[in-house]
Amino acid sequence: EVTQVLLQNSNANTGLLSKDQYDNAMRNIVSNGGGSMSQESQRRLSDLLSSIFFAFVRDKSSRVVALELASGFTVLCGGRKSDKLEFAFDLIDDDKDGRLSRRGLWKYLRSFLTVLMSISSASANMTEGHIYSAIDSASTWATAQVFGAEQDKGLGNNDNSSK
């Protein structure tokens, strides 16, 4: 549900999501959850959700790629890990052929790491630039390992994609 609401609130032409659109989506999700929260709980949740959004902002536009945010957000959703990974994979699989390109795998991994770093206390003492660098480096390294292992086993093919 979370990912669907995020995607529905994004710009249909660009696939981008503004902070206002994100806030609207989060209000819808939280209000549909039922129950009531104290003012303090609401403030903490709002701060957490804002930090996740801003972790995906990589330029001055203050907009994020909705698919990447939705993919990363799945790590926080309920359900089995394998189901969440498969769902996020399907979001990033642009041509729906069941394979991710090298760039697609990098975006897939980066989306998860971005969410995890945005909620981690380990990043509290890091600058924004260092956080982005760590996320990008880890995603690049892991992607290279997957594609390198594929080549080593003779599984690589000409389209540079991985299952």
Side-chain angles (χ1 to χ4, degrees):
E1 178 189 346
V2 172
T3 55
Q4 292 170 338
V5 173
L6 287 171
L7 296 174
Q8 289 168 351
N9 279 271
S10 67
N11 183 304
N13 295 324
T14 64
L16 298 177
L17 187 70
S18 70
K19 180 67 165 83
D20 287 341
Q21 291 167 317
Y22 174 77
D23 288 344
N24 184 51
M26 292 299 105
R27 275 191 296 276
N28 288 338
I29 291 166
V30 171
S31 68
N32 286 340
S36 62
M37 284 190 266
S38 69
Q39 291 279 62
E40 179 62 17
S41 293
Q42 288 177 17
R43 186 192 61 75
R44 286 183 182 192
L45 179 59
S46 178
D47 290 348
L48 174 69
L49 293 173
S50 288
S51 70
I52 292 170
F53 177 86
F54 285 116
F56 281 86
V57 174
R58 296 282 186 124
D59 58 26
K60 301 294 182 210
S61 74
S62 294
R63 288 179 167 25
V64 301
V65 177
L67 278 175
E68 290 180 30
L69 176 63
S71 176
F73 217 96
T74 61
V75 77
L76 302 176
C77 296
R80 294 183 349 199
K81 285 182 272 185
S82 58
D83 291 339
K84 294 188 283 188
L85 290 169
E86 181 179 356
F87 184 80
F89 183 99
D90 290 342
L91 285 174
I92 300 290
D93 182 11
D94 294 333
D95 57 5
K96 307 300 181 211
D97 67 350
R99 301 173 68 85
L100 291 180
S101 66
R102 184 179 291 261
R103 179 150 177 81
L105 181 59
W106 176 77
K107 289 191 312 186
Y108 177 74
L109 295 170
R110 187 176 81 160
S111 69
F112 287 116
L113 291 175
T114 299
V115 169
L116 293 174
M117 286 295 285
S118 73
I119 63 173
S120 170
S121 61
S123 64
N125 297 324
M126 298 172 70
T127 66
E128 186 177 272
H130 284 113
I131 293 170
Y132 289 153
S133 179
I135 291 168
D136 291 347
S137 294
S139 301
T140 300
W141 178 85
T143 299
Q145 297 306 303
V146 169
F147 279 90
E150 206 173 62
Q151 293 296 335
D152 291 346
K153 293 180 181 177
L155 300 173
N157 54 34
N158 294 334
D159 69 357
N160 247 357
S161 58
S162 178
K163 284 187 179 181

